Coordinates of all heavy atoms in Angstrom, one line a residue:
M13 N 111.0 85.2 67.4 CA 109.9 85.8 66.7 C 110.3 87.1 66.0 O 110.1 87.3 64.8 CB 108.8 86.1 67.7 CG 107.7 87.0 67.1 SD 106.3 87.4 68.3 CE 107.1 88.5 69.4
S14 N 110.9 88.0 66.8 CA 111.3 89.3 66.2 C 112.4 89.2 65.1 O 112.5 90.1 64.3 CB 111.7 90.3 67.3 OG 112.9 89.8 67.9
N15 N 113.2 88.2 65.2 CA 114.3 88.0 64.2 C 113.7 87.5 62.9 O 114.4 87.6 61.9 CB 115.3 87.0 64.8 CG 116.0 87.5 66.0 OD1 116.1 88.7 66.1 ND2 116.5 86.6 66.8
N16 N 112.5 87.1 62.9 CA 111.9 86.6 61.6 C 111.3 87.7 60.8 O 110.8 87.5 59.7 CB 110.8 85.5 61.9 CG 111.4 84.3 62.6 OD1 112.6 84.0 62.5 ND2 110.6 83.6 63.3
I17 N 111.2 88.9 61.3 CA 110.6 90.0 60.6 C 111.7 90.8 59.8 O 112.7 91.2 60.3 CB 109.9 91.0 61.6 CG1 108.8 90.2 62.3 CG2 109.3 92.2 60.9 CD1 108.1 91.0 63.4
N18 N 111.4 90.9 58.5 CA 112.3 91.6 57.6 C 112.5 93.0 58.1 O 111.5 93.7 58.4 CB 111.7 91.5 56.2 CG 112.5 92.2 55.2 OD1 112.7 93.4 55.2 ND2 112.9 91.4 54.2
A19 N 113.7 93.5 58.0 CA 114.1 94.8 58.5 C 113.3 95.9 57.6 O 112.9 96.9 58.2 CB 115.6 95.1 58.4
T20 N 113.2 95.7 56.4 CA 112.4 96.6 55.5 C 111.0 96.7 55.9 O 110.4 97.8 56.0 CB 112.6 96.3 54.0 OG1 114.0 96.2 53.7 CG2 111.9 97.3 53.1
V21 N 110.4 95.6 56.2 CA 109.0 95.6 56.6 C 108.8 96.3 57.9 O 107.9 97.1 58.1 CB 108.5 94.1 56.7 CG1 107.1 94.0 57.4 CG2 108.4 93.5 55.3
L22 N 109.8 96.0 58.8 CA 109.7 96.6 60.1 C 110.0 98.1 60.0 O 109.3 98.9 60.7 CB 110.7 96.0 61.1 CG 110.6 96.4 62.6 CD1 109.2 96.1 63.1 CD2 111.7 95.8 63.4
K23 N 110.9 98.5 59.2 CA 111.2 99.9 58.9 C 109.9 100.7 58.5 O 109.6 101.7 59.0 CB 112.3 100.1 57.9 CG 112.8 101.5 57.8 CD 113.9 101.6 56.7 CE 115.2 101.2 57.3 NZ 116.4 101.5 56.4
N24 N 109.2 100.1 57.5 CA 107.9 100.7 57.0 C 106.9 100.8 58.1 O 106.2 101.7 58.2 CB 107.4 99.9 55.8 CG 108.3 100.1 54.6 OD1 109.0 101.1 54.4 ND2 108.3 99.1 53.7
F25 N 106.8 99.7 59.0 CA 105.9 99.7 60.1 C 106.2 100.9 61.0 O 105.3 101.6 61.5 CB 105.9 98.4 60.8 CG 105.1 98.4 62.1 CD1 103.7 98.3 62.1 CD2 105.8 98.4 63.3 CE1 103.0 98.4 63.3 CE2 105.1 98.4 64.5 CZ 103.7 98.4 64.5
I26 N 107.5 101.0 61.3 CA 107.9 102.0 62.3 C 107.6 103.4 61.7 O 107.1 104.3 62.5 CB 109.4 101.9 62.6 CG1 109.7 100.6 63.4 CG2 109.9 103.1 63.4 CD1 111.2 100.3 63.6
I27 N 107.9 103.7 60.5 CA 107.6 105.0 59.8 C 106.1 105.2 60.0 O 105.7 106.3 60.3 CB 108.0 105.0 58.4 CG1 109.5 105.0 58.3 CG2 107.4 106.2 57.6 CD1 110.1 104.8 56.9
K28 N 105.3 104.2 59.7 CA 103.8 104.4 59.8 C 103.4 104.7 61.2 O 102.6 105.5 61.5 CB 103.1 103.2 59.2 CG 101.6 103.3 59.2 CD 101.0 102.0 58.7 CE 100.5 101.3 60.0 NZ 99.9 100.0 59.8
S29 N 104.0 103.9 62.1 CA 103.6 104.0 63.5 C 104.0 105.4 64.2 O 103.2 106.0 64.9 CB 104.2 102.9 64.4 OG 103.8 101.7 63.9
I30 N 105.2 105.8 63.9 CA 105.7 107.0 64.6 C 105.4 108.3 63.7 O 105.6 109.4 64.2 CB 107.1 106.9 65.0 CG1 108.1 106.8 63.8 CG2 107.4 105.8 66.0 CD1 109.5 106.8 64.2
G31 N 104.9 108.1 62.5 CA 104.5 109.2 61.7 C 105.7 109.9 61.1 O 105.7 111.1 60.8
G32 N 106.8 109.2 60.9 CA 108.0 109.8 60.2 C 109.2 108.9 60.4 O 109.0 107.7 60.8
D33 N 110.4 109.4 60.2 CA 111.6 108.6 60.3 C 112.4 108.9 61.6 O 113.5 108.5 61.7 CB 112.4 108.7 59.1 CG 112.9 110.1 58.8 OD1 112.5 111.0 59.5 OD2 113.7 110.2 57.9
K34 N 111.8 109.7 62.5 CA 112.5 110.0 63.7 C 111.6 109.8 64.9 O 110.4 110.1 64.9 CB 113.0 111.4 63.7 CG 113.9 111.8 62.6 CD 115.2 112.3 63.1 CE 116.1 112.8 61.9 NZ 117.2 112.0 61.8
L35 N 112.1 109.2 66.0 CA 111.4 109.0 67.2 C 111.9 109.9 68.3 O 113.1 109.8 68.6 CB 111.5 107.5 67.6 CG 110.7 107.2 68.9 CD1 109.2 107.3 68.8 CD2 111.1 105.7 69.3
T36 N 111.1 110.9 68.7 CA 111.6 111.8 69.7 C 111.5 111.1 71.1 O 110.8 110.1 71.3 CB 110.8 113.1 69.7 OG1 109.4 112.8 70.1 CG2 110.8 113.8 68.4
E37 N 112.2 111.7 72.0 CA 112.2 111.2 73.4 C 110.8 111.2 74.0 O 110.3 110.3 74.7 CB 113.1 112.0 74.3 CG 113.3 111.4 75.7 CD 114.4 112.2 76.4 OE1 115.2 112.9 75.8 OE2 114.4 112.0 77.7
K38 N 110.0 112.3 73.7 CA 108.7 112.5 74.2 C 107.8 111.4 73.6 O 107.0 110.8 74.3 CB 108.1 113.8 73.7 CG 106.7 114.1 74.2 CD 106.3 115.5 73.8 CE 104.8 115.8 74.2 NZ 104.4 117.1 73.7
N39 N 107.9 111.1 72.3 CA 107.1 110.1 71.6 C 107.5 108.7 72.1 O 106.7 107.7 72.1 CB 107.2 110.2 70.1 CG 106.5 111.4 69.6 OD1 105.7 112.1 70.3 ND2 106.8 111.8 68.4
A40 N 108.7 108.5 72.5 CA 109.2 107.2 72.9 C 108.5 106.7 74.1 O 108.3 105.5 74.3 CB 110.7 107.3 73.2
K41 N 108.1 107.6 75.0 CA 107.3 107.2 76.2 C 106.0 106.5 75.8 O 105.6 105.7 76.5 CB 107.1 108.5 77.1 CG 108.3 109.0 77.7 CD 108.1 110.3 78.5 CE 109.4 110.8 79.0 NZ 109.2 112.1 79.7
G42 N 105.4 106.9 74.7 CA 104.2 106.3 74.3 C 104.4 104.9 73.8 O 103.4 104.1 73.8
Y43 N 105.6 104.5 73.6 CA 105.9 103.1 73.2 C 106.6 102.4 74.3 O 107.2 101.3 74.1 CB 106.8 103.1 71.9 CG 106.1 103.7 70.7 CD1 106.3 105.0 70.3 CD2 105.3 102.9 70.0 CE1 105.6 105.5 69.2 CE2 104.6 103.4 68.9 CZ 104.8 104.7 68.5 OH 104.1 105.3 67.5
D44 N 106.5 102.9 75.5 CA 107.1 102.4 76.7 C 108.6 102.2 76.6 O 109.2 101.2 77.1 CB 106.4 101.0 77.1 CG 105.0 101.2 77.5 OD1 104.7 102.3 78.1 OD2 104.2 100.3 77.3
I45 N 109.3 103.1 75.9 CA 110.7 103.1 75.9 C 111.3 103.9 77.0 O 111.0 105.1 77.1 CB 111.2 103.6 74.5 CG1 110.7 102.7 73.4 CG2 112.7 103.7 74.5 CD1 110.9 103.2 72.0
K46 N 112.0 103.3 77.9 CA 112.5 104.0 79.0 C 113.6 105.0 78.6 O 114.3 104.8 77.6 CB 113.0 103.0 80.1 CG 111.9 102.1 80.6 CD 112.3 101.3 81.8 CE 111.3 100.4 82.3 NZ 109.9 100.5 82.0
Q47 N 113.8 106.0 79.5 CA 114.8 107.1 79.2 C 116.2 106.5 79.0 O 116.9 106.9 78.1 CB 114.8 108.1 80.3 CG 115.9 109.1 80.3 CD 115.9 109.9 79.1 OE1 114.9 110.4 78.7 NE2 117.1 110.2 78.5
D48 N 116.6 105.6 79.9 CA 118.0 105.1 79.7 C 118.1 104.2 78.5 O 119.2 104.3 77.8 CB 118.4 104.2 81.0 CG 117.4 103.0 81.2 OD1 116.2 103.1 80.8 OD2 117.9 102.1 81.8
K49 N 117.1 103.5 78.0 CA 117.1 102.7 76.8 C 117.2 103.7 75.6 O 117.9 103.4 74.6 CB 115.9 101.8 76.7 CG 116.0 100.9 75.6 CD 117.0 99.9 75.9 CE 117.7 99.1 75.0 NZ 119.0 98.9 75.0
F50 N 116.4 104.8 75.7 CA 116.4 105.7 74.6 C 117.8 106.4 74.5 O 118.4 106.4 73.4 CB 115.4 106.8 74.9 CG 115.3 107.9 73.8 CD1 114.3 107.7 72.8 CD2 116.1 109.0 73.8 CE1 114.2 108.6 71.8 CE2 115.9 109.9 72.8 CZ 115.0 109.8 71.8
S51 N 118.4 106.8 75.6 CA 119.7 107.4 75.6 C 120.8 106.4 75.0 O 121.7 106.8 74.3 CB 120.1 107.8 77.0 OG 119.2 108.8 77.4
E52 N 120.7 105.2 75.4 CA 121.6 104.2 75.0 C 121.5 104.0 73.4 O 122.6 103.8 72.8 CB 121.3 102.8 75.7 CG 122.2 101.7 75.4 CD 121.8 100.4 76.1 OE1 121.6 100.5 77.3 OE2 121.7 99.4 75.4
A53 N 120.3 104.0 72.9 CA 120.2 103.8 71.5 C 120.5 105.0 70.7 O 120.8 104.9 69.5 CB 118.7 103.4 71.2
D54 N 120.5 106.2 71.3 CA 120.7 107.5 70.6 C 122.2 107.6 70.4 O 122.9 108.4 71.1 CB 120.1 108.6 71.4 CG 120.2 110.0 70.6 OD1 120.4 109.9 69.4 OD2 120.0 111.0 71.3
V55 N 122.8 106.9 69.4 CA 124.2 106.9 69.1 C 124.8 108.2 68.8 O 125.8 108.6 69.3 CB 124.5 105.9 68.0 CG1 125.9 105.9 67.6 CG2 124.0 104.5 68.3
D56 N 124.0 109.1 68.0 CA 124.6 110.4 67.7 C 124.2 111.5 68.7 O 124.5 112.6 68.4 CB 124.1 110.7 66.2 CG 122.6 110.7 66.1 OD1 121.9 110.6 67.1 OD2 122.2 110.9 64.9
D57 N 123.6 111.1 69.8 CA 123.2 112.0 70.8 C 122.6 113.3 70.3 O 122.8 114.4 70.8 CB 124.5 112.4 71.6 CG 125.0 111.2 72.4 OD1 124.2 110.4 72.9 OD2 126.3 111.1 72.5
N58 N 121.6 113.2 69.4 CA 120.9 114.4 68.9 C 119.5 114.5 69.5 O 118.8 115.4 69.1 CB 120.8 114.4 67.4 CG 120.0 113.2 66.8 OD1 119.7 112.3 67.6 ND2 119.7 113.2 65.6
G59 N 119.1 113.7 70.4 CA 117.9 113.8 71.1 C 116.7 113.1 70.5 O 115.6 113.1 70.9
D60 N 117.0 112.4 69.4 CA 115.9 111.6 68.7 C 116.6 110.3 68.1 O 117.8 110.3 68.0 CB 115.1 112.3 67.7 CG 115.9 112.9 66.6 OD1 116.9 112.3 66.2 OD2 115.6 114.0 66.1
L61 N 115.7 109.4 67.8 CA 116.2 108.1 67.3 C 115.8 108.1 65.8 O 114.6 108.2 65.5 CB 115.7 106.9 68.0 CG 116.0 106.8 69.5 CD1 115.3 105.5 70.1 CD2 117.5 106.7 69.7
N62 N 116.8 107.9 64.9 CA 116.4 107.6 63.5 C 116.2 106.1 63.3 O 116.4 105.3 64.2 CB 117.4 108.2 62.6 CG 118.8 107.6 62.7 OD1 118.9 106.3 62.9 ND2 119.9 108.3 62.6
L63 N 115.7 105.8 62.2 CA 115.4 104.4 61.9 C 116.5 103.4 62.1 O 116.4 102.3 62.7 CB 114.8 104.2 60.5 CG 113.4 104.9 60.3 CD1 113.1 104.8 58.8 CD2 112.4 104.2 61.1
D64 N 117.7 103.8 61.7 CA 118.9 103.0 61.8 C 119.2 102.7 63.3 O 119.6 101.6 63.7 CB 120.1 103.5 61.1 CG 119.9 103.5 59.6 OD1 119.2 102.6 59.1 OD2 120.5 104.3 58.9
E65 N 119.1 103.8 64.1 CA 119.4 103.6 65.5 C 118.4 102.6 66.2 O 118.7 101.8 67.0 CB 119.3 105.0 66.2 CG 120.5 105.8 65.9 CD 120.3 107.2 66.4 OE1 119.2 107.8 66.4 OE2 121.4 107.8 66.9
I66 N 117.1 102.7 65.7 CA 116.1 101.8 66.3 C 116.4 100.4 65.8 O 116.4 99.4 66.6 CB 114.7 102.2 65.8 CG1 114.3 103.6 66.5 CG2 113.6 101.1 66.2 CD1 113.0 104.2 65.9
L67 N 116.7 100.2 64.5 CA 116.9 98.9 64.0 C 118.2 98.2 64.5 O 118.3 97.0 64.6 CB 116.9 98.9 62.5 CG 115.5 99.3 61.9 CD1 115.6 99.4 60.4 CD2 114.4 98.3 62.2
N68 N 119.2 99.1 64.8 CA 120.4 98.5 65.3 C 120.4 98.2 66.8 O 121.4 97.5 67.2 CB 121.6 99.5 65.0 CG 121.9 99.6 63.5 OD1 121.7 98.6 62.8 ND2 122.3 100.8 63.1
D69 N 119.5 98.6 67.5 CA 119.4 98.3 68.9 C 118.5 97.1 69.1 O 117.3 97.1 68.7 CB 118.8 99.5 69.7 CG 118.7 99.3 71.2 OD1 117.8 98.5 71.6 OD2 119.6 99.8 71.9
K70 N 119.0 96.0 69.5 CA 118.3 94.7 69.6 C 117.0 94.8 70.4 O 116.0 94.2 70.0 CB 119.2 93.6 70.0 CG 119.6 93.6 71.4 CD 120.4 92.4 71.8 CE 120.7 92.6 73.3 NZ 121.1 91.4 73.9
D71 N 117.0 95.5 71.5 CA 115.8 95.6 72.3 C 114.7 96.4 71.7 O 113.6 96.1 71.7 CB 116.2 96.3 73.7 CG 117.1 95.4 74.5 OD1 117.0 94.1 74.4 OD2 117.9 95.9 75.4
L72 N 115.1 97.6 71.0 CA 114.1 98.4 70.4 C 113.6 97.6 69.1 O 112.4 97.7 68.8 CB 114.7 99.7 70.0 CG 115.0 100.7 71.1 CD1 115.6 102.0 70.6 CD2 113.8 100.9 72.0
Y73 N 114.4 97.0 68.4 CA 114.0 96.2 67.3 C 113.0 95.2 67.7 O 111.9 95.0 67.1 CB 115.3 95.5 66.7 CG 115.0 94.8 65.3 CD1 115.4 95.4 64.2 CD2 114.4 93.5 65.3 CE1 115.1 94.8 62.9 CE2 114.1 92.9 64.1 CZ 114.5 93.5 62.9 OH 114.3 92.9 61.7
A74 N 113.3 94.5 68.8 CA 112.4 93.4 69.3 C 111.0 94.1 69.8 O 110.0 93.5 69.5 CB 113.0 92.7 70.4
Q75 N 111.1 95.2 70.4 CA 109.9 95.9 70.9 C 109.0 96.3 69.7 O 107.8 96.1 69.8 CB 110.3 97.1 71.7 CG 109.2 97.8 72.4 CD 109.6 98.8 73.4 OE1 110.8 98.9 73.7 NE2 108.7 99.5 74.0
F76 N 109.6 96.9 68.7 CA 108.8 97.3 67.5 C 108.3 96.1 66.7 O 107.2 96.1 66.2 CB 109.5 98.3 66.6 CG 109.4 99.7 67.1 CD1 110.4 100.3 67.9 CD2 108.2 100.4 66.9 CE1 110.3 101.6 68.3 CE2 108.1 101.7 67.4 CZ 109.1 102.3 68.1
A77 N 109.1 95.0 66.7 CA 108.7 93.8 66.0 C 107.5 93.2 66.8 O 106.6 92.7 66.1 CB 109.9 92.8 66.0
T78 N 107.5 93.2 68.1 CA 106.4 92.7 68.8 C 105.1 93.6 68.5 O 104.0 93.0 68.4 CB 106.7 92.8 70.3 OG1 107.8 92.0 70.6 CG2 105.5 92.3 71.2
L79 N 105.3 94.9 68.5 CA 104.1 95.7 68.1 C 103.6 95.4 66.7 O 102.4 95.4 66.5 CB 104.5 97.2 68.2 CG 104.8 97.8 69.6 CD1 105.4 99.2 69.4 CD2 103.6 97.8 70.4
Y80 N 104.5 95.1 65.8 CA 104.1 94.8 64.4 C 103.3 93.5 64.4 O 102.3 93.4 63.8 CB 105.4 94.6 63.6 CG 105.1 94.1 62.2 CD1 104.6 94.8 61.2 CD2 105.4 92.7 61.9 CE1 104.3 94.3 59.9 CE2 105.1 92.2 60.7 CZ 104.6 93.0 59.7 OH 104.3 92.5 58.4
V81 N 103.8 92.5 65.1 CA 103.1 91.2 65.2 C 101.8 91.3 65.8 O 100.8 90.8 65.4 CB 104.0 90.1 65.9 CG1 103.2 88.9 66.2 CG2 105.2 89.8 65.1
E82 N 101.7 92.1 66.9 CA 100.4 92.3 67.6 C 99.4 93.0 66.7 O 98.2 92.6 66.6 CB 100.6 93.2 68.9 CG 101.3 92.4 70.0 CD 101.6 93.3 71.2 OE1 101.5 94.5 71.1 OE2 102.1 92.7 72.2
E83 N 99.9 94.0 65.9 CA 99.0 94.7 65.0 C 98.5 93.8 63.9 O 97.3 93.8 63.5 CB 99.6 95.9 64.4 CG 98.7 96.7 63.5 CD 99.3 98.0 62.9 OE1 99.5 98.9 63.7 OE2 99.7 98.0 61.7
K84 N 99.4 93.0 63.4 CA 99.1 92.0 62.4 C 98.0 91.0 62.9 O 97.1 90.7 62.2 CB 100.3 91.3 61.9 CG 100.2 90.6 60.6 CD 101.6 90.1 60.2 CE 101.4 89.2 58.9 NZ 102.7 88.7 58.5
E85 N 98.2 90.5 64.1 CA 97.3 89.6 64.7 C 95.9 90.2 64.9 O 94.9 89.6 64.7 CB 97.8 89.0 66.0 CG 98.9 88.1 65.8 CD 99.6 87.6 67.1 OE1 99.3 88.2 68.1 OE2 100.4 86.7 67.0
Q86 N 95.9 91.5 65.4 CA 94.6 92.2 65.6 C 93.8 92.3 64.3 O 92.6 92.2 64.2 CB 94.9 93.6 66.2 CG 95.2 93.5 67.6 CD 95.6 94.9 68.2 OE1 95.8 95.9 67.5 NE2 95.7 95.0 69.5
K87 N 94.6 92.7 63.2 CA 93.9 92.8 61.9 C 93.4 91.5 61.4 O 92.3 91.4 60.9 CB 94.9 93.4 60.8 CG 95.2 94.8 61.0 CD 96.2 95.3 60.0 CE 96.5 96.8 60.2 NZ 97.4 97.3 59.2
A88 N 94.1 90.4 61.6 CA 93.7 89.1 61.3 C 92.4 88.7 62.1 O 91.5 88.1 61.5 CB 94.8 88.1 61.4
D89 N 92.4 89.0 63.4 CA 91.3 88.7 64.2 C 90.0 89.5 63.8 O 88.9 88.9 63.7 CB 91.6 89.0 65.7 CG 92.6 88.0 66.3 OD1 92.8 86.9 65.7 OD2 93.1 88.3 67.4
A90 N 90.2 90.7 63.4 CA 89.1 91.6 63.0 C 88.6 91.0 61.7 O 87.4 91.0 61.4 CB 89.6 93.0 62.8
K91 N 89.5 90.6 60.8 CA 89.1 90.1 59.5 C 88.3 88.7 59.7 O 87.3 88.5 59.1 CB 90.3 89.8 58.6 CG 90.0 89.5 57.2 CD 91.2 89.4 56.3 CE 90.9 89.1 54.9 NZ 92.1 89.1 54.1
D92 N 88.8 87.9 60.6 CA 88.1 86.6 60.9 C 86.7 86.9 61.5 O 85.8 86.2 61.2 CB 88.9 85.8 61.9 CG 90.2 85.2 61.2 OD1 90.3 85.2 60.0 OD2 91.1 84.8 62.0
A93 N 86.6 87.9 62.4 CA 85.3 88.2 63.0 C 84.3 88.7 62.0 O 83.2 88.4 62.0 CB 85.5 89.3 64.1
E94 N 84.8 89.5 61.0 CA 84.0 90.0 60.0 C 83.5 88.9 59.1 O 82.3 88.8 58.7 CB 84.7 91.1 59.1 CG 83.9 91.7 58.0 CD 82.7 92.5 58.5 OE1 82.8 93.0 59.7 OE2 81.7 92.6 57.8
K95 N 84.4 88.0 58.8 CA 84.0 86.8 57.9 C 83.0 85.9 58.6 O 82.0 85.5 58.0 CB 85.3 86.0 57.6 CG 85.1 84.9 56.6 CD 86.4 84.2 56.3 CE 86.1 83.0 55.3 NZ 87.4 82.4 55.0
E96 N 83.2 85.7 59.9 CA 82.3 84.9 60.7 C 80.9 85.6 60.7 O 79.8 84.9 60.6 CB 82.8 84.8 62.1 CG 81.8 84.0 63.1 CD 81.7 82.5 62.7 OE1 82.6 82.0 62.1 OE2 80.6 82.0 63.0
K97 N 80.8 86.9 60.9 CA 79.6 87.7 60.9 C 78.9 87.5 59.5 O 77.7 87.3 59.5 CB 79.9 89.1 61.2 CG 78.6 90.0 61.3 CD 79.0 91.4 61.7 CE 77.8 92.3 61.8 NZ 78.1 93.7 62.1
E98 N 79.6 87.6 58.4 CA 79.1 87.4 57.1 C 78.5 86.0 56.9 O 77.4 85.9 56.3 CB 80.1 87.7 56.0 CG 80.5 89.2 55.9 CD 81.6 89.4 54.9 OE1 82.0 88.4 54.2 OE2 82.1 90.5 54.8
E99 N 79.2 85.0 57.4 CA 78.7 83.6 57.3 C 77.4 83.4 58.1 O 76.5 82.8 57.6 CB 79.8 82.7 57.7 CG 80.9 82.6 56.8 CD 82.1 81.7 57.2 OE1 81.9 81.0 58.3 OE2 83.1 81.6 56.5
Q100 N 77.4 84.1 59.3 CA 76.2 83.9 60.1 C 75.0 84.6 59.4 O 73.9 84.1 59.5 CB 76.4 84.6 61.5 CG 77.3 83.7 62.4 CD 77.6 84.4 63.7 OE1 77.2 85.5 63.9 NE2 78.3 83.7 64.6
T101 N 75.3 85.7 58.8 CA 74.2 86.5 58.0 C 73.7 85.6 56.9 O 72.5 85.5 56.7 CB 74.7 87.8 57.5 OG1 75.2 88.6 58.6 CG2 73.6 88.6 56.8
K102 N 74.6 84.9 56.2 CA 74.2 84.1 55.1 C 73.3 82.9 55.6 O 72.3 82.6 55.0 CB 75.4 83.5 54.3 CG 76.1 84.5 53.5 CD 77.4 83.9 52.8 CE 78.2 85.0 52.1 NZ 79.4 84.4 51.5
V103 N 73.7 82.3 56.7 CA 73.0 81.2 57.2 C 71.6 81.7 57.7 O 70.6 81.0 57.4 CB 73.7 80.5 58.4 CG1 72.8 79.6 59.2 CG2 75.0 79.9 57.9
K104 N 71.5 82.8 58.3 CA 70.3 83.4 58.7 C 69.4 83.7 57.5 O 68.2 83.4 57.6 CB 70.5 84.7 59.5 CG 69.3 85.3 60.1 CD 69.6 86.6 60.8 CE 68.3 87.3 61.3 NZ 68.6 88.6 61.9
D105 N 69.9 84.3 56.5 CA 69.2 84.6 55.3 C 68.6 83.3 54.6 O 67.5 83.3 54.2 CB 70.0 85.4 54.3 CG 70.3 86.8 54.7 OD1 69.7 87.3 55.7 OD2 71.2 87.4 54.1
K106 N 69.4 82.2 54.6 CA 69.0 81.0 54.0 C 67.9 80.4 54.9 O 66.9 79.8 54.3 CB 70.1 80.0 53.9 CG 71.1 80.3 52.8 CD 72.2 79.2 52.7 CE 73.1 79.5 51.6 NZ 74.2 78.5 51.5
S107 N 68.0 80.4 56.2 CA 67.0 79.8 57.0 C 65.7 80.6 56.9 O 64.6 80.0 57.0 CB 67.4 79.7 58.5 OG 67.6 81.0 59.0
E108 N 65.7 81.9 56.8 CA 64.5 82.7 56.7 C 63.9 82.5 55.3 O 62.7 82.6 55.2 CB 64.9 84.2 56.9 CG 65.2 84.6 58.3 CD 65.6 86.0 58.5 OE1 65.8 86.7 57.5 OE2 65.8 86.4 59.7
A109 N 64.7 82.3 54.3 CA 64.2 82.1 52.9 C 63.4 80.7 52.9 O 62.5 80.6 52.1 CB 65.3 82.1 51.9
G110 N 63.9 79.8 53.7 CA 63.2 78.5 53.7 C 61.9 78.4 54.4 O 61.2 77.4 54.3
V111 N 61.7 79.4 55.2 CA 60.5 79.4 56.1 C 59.2 79.8 55.3 O 59.1 80.4 54.4 CB 60.6 80.4 57.3 CG1 59.3 80.5 58.0 CG2 61.7 79.8 58.1

């Protein structure tokens, strides 16, 4: 699944999600990234992960890809629910008009 997501698309998602192009150790906890995994991915040992470090680490890539897919599915579900609501309203309006 995660291998099917284009790196550029994922990079844009990560920037949007973390609010920039660096992920700090403090913010990493919010994405359930463990300290040892963060340290392992922090190739330049500067205390934060840049986009390339995230994308080059297969576990972090997969983790953010999963988040991307989940967000995409939630948006699709919300859109489907809204469409269903609109259809129900149309049916209700038609039945009331016929009365």
Side-chain angles (χ1 to χ4, degrees):
M13 169 180 70
S14 65
N15 293 336
N16 296 335
I17 298 173
N18 181 296
T20 303
V21 170
L22 189 59
K23 188 181 278 191
N24 291 333
F25 171 76
I26 293 169
I27 290 171
K28 185 184 100 184
S29 297
I30 64 178
D33 61 351
K34 302 235 184 249
L35 179 65
T36 65
E37 188 173 342
K38 181 180 177 183
N39 293 344
K41 291 178 185 176
Y43 296 97
D44 293 328
I45 298 171
K46 299 192 182 338
Q47 168 62 40
D48 60 331
K49 187 72 205 132
F50 183 92
S51 297
E52 182 182 313
D54 189 12
V55 176
D56 56 10
D57 292 324
N58 64 350
D60 58 35
L61 299 178
N62 63 39
L63 291 172
D64 290 333
E65 289 172 320
I66 294 170
L67 295 174
N68 289 330
D69 185 282
K70 68 177 182 162
D71 293 332
L72 294 180
Y73 189 101
Q75 189 168 353
F76 277 100
T78 300
L79 291 172
Y80 171 78
V81 169
E82 288 172 354
E83 182 177 289
K84 193 173 178 181
E85 288 173 350
Q86 287 175 347
K87 286 180 181 179
D89 290 346
K91 190 174 182 178
D92 289 345
E94 183 63 29
K95 186 175 180 180
E96 178 68 26
K97 185 176 177 181
E98 288 175 7
E99 288 176 5
Q100 288 177 355
T101 302
K102 287 178 184 178
V103 168
K104 181 180 175 187
D105 291 344
K106 283 183 181 179
S107 66
E108 288 175 355
V111 172

